Amino acid sequence: MATYTADIDWQLAEDEDFPKGRYSRGHTLTFDGGTVVPASASPHVVGKWAVKEAVDPEEMLVAALSNCHMLSFLHVARLAGFAIKAYHDHAEGMMEEIAPGKRAVTKVVLHPQIKWIGEVPAKAKLDHMHHEAHEVCFIANSVKTQVTVA
């Protein structure tokens, strides 16, 4: 079993009004390897109190699903005898209301673009490898969100 950690740090600025909700949602995430990432609530959620340049939880969820799928796909492709030179994905997550006043990221669509070295798998084989990658992706196995490859 493995344990993963992240430290989240936020502090109220002196000129902000917490009781009235007038405060920045900007904060930092520090990962166990020492990487520090500026983070915030989404501008879609808190408007001007978000830090637009920072990553938000919804983006991190989409990125985690895309990242895990890519890493799983690279492994699956290698085991199938294919070689990859480059992999790019423009992943998109959709937020929807799932009950009155309750929202969730219900769907993530991955749009991988792959540059191959040598043999390129037939479409059926490629689809099968994406399915296999999805099945072994730890993050996809951890969420209820529908994840599809376009």
Side-chain angles (χ1 to χ4, degrees):
M1 180 164 53
T3 301
Y4 303 91
T5 64
D7 292 316
I8 290 79
D9 290 299
W10 172 87
Q11 187 169 338
L12 184 69
E14 284 191 34
D15 63 340
E16 295 177 329
D17 188 340
F18 189 83
K20 291 184 179 177
R22 295 178 180 148
Y23 59 91
S24 173
R25 291 349 185 246
H27 56 282
T28 60
L29 308 174
T30 305
F31 295 94
D32 59 6
T35 299
V36 178
V37 176
S40 176
S42 169
H44 297 291
V45 177
V46 297
K48 72 177 186 175
W49 301 108
V51 178
K52 292 179 183 179
E53 300 80 19
V55 63
D56 62 57
E58 296 81 9
E59 291 170 325
M60 286 188 281
L61 175 63
V62 172
L65 286 162
S66 174
N67 185 230
C68 187
H69 183 84
M70 180 203 69
L71 293 168
S72 299
F73 185 84
L74 295 176
H75 178 71
V76 166
R78 181 184 62 80
L79 292 180
F82 295 97
I84 297 174
K85 180 179 177 87
Y87 183 110
H88 171 81
D89 185 15
H90 178 77
E92 297 175 300
M94 285 60 125
M95 177 89 72
E96 296 180 308
E97 188 171 60
I98 58 171
K102 187 175 182 180
R103 294 183 285 175
V105 176
T106 58
K107 184 176 182 181
V108 172
V109 180
L110 309 178
H111 298 93
Q113 297 175 352
I114 302 163
K115 292 184 181 176
W116 302 92
I117 300 170
E119 182 184 0
V120 175
K123 180 164 178 12
K125 180 65 175 175
L126 179 63
D127 291 347
H128 178 73
M129 289 191 303
H130 277 299
H131 176 75
E132 245 186 290
H134 178 73
E135 291 297 312
V136 300
C137 172
F138 307 142
I139 305 302
N141 288 331
S142 301
V143 299
K144 296 187 289 185
T145 303
Q146 176 188 5
V147 182
T148 58
V149 177

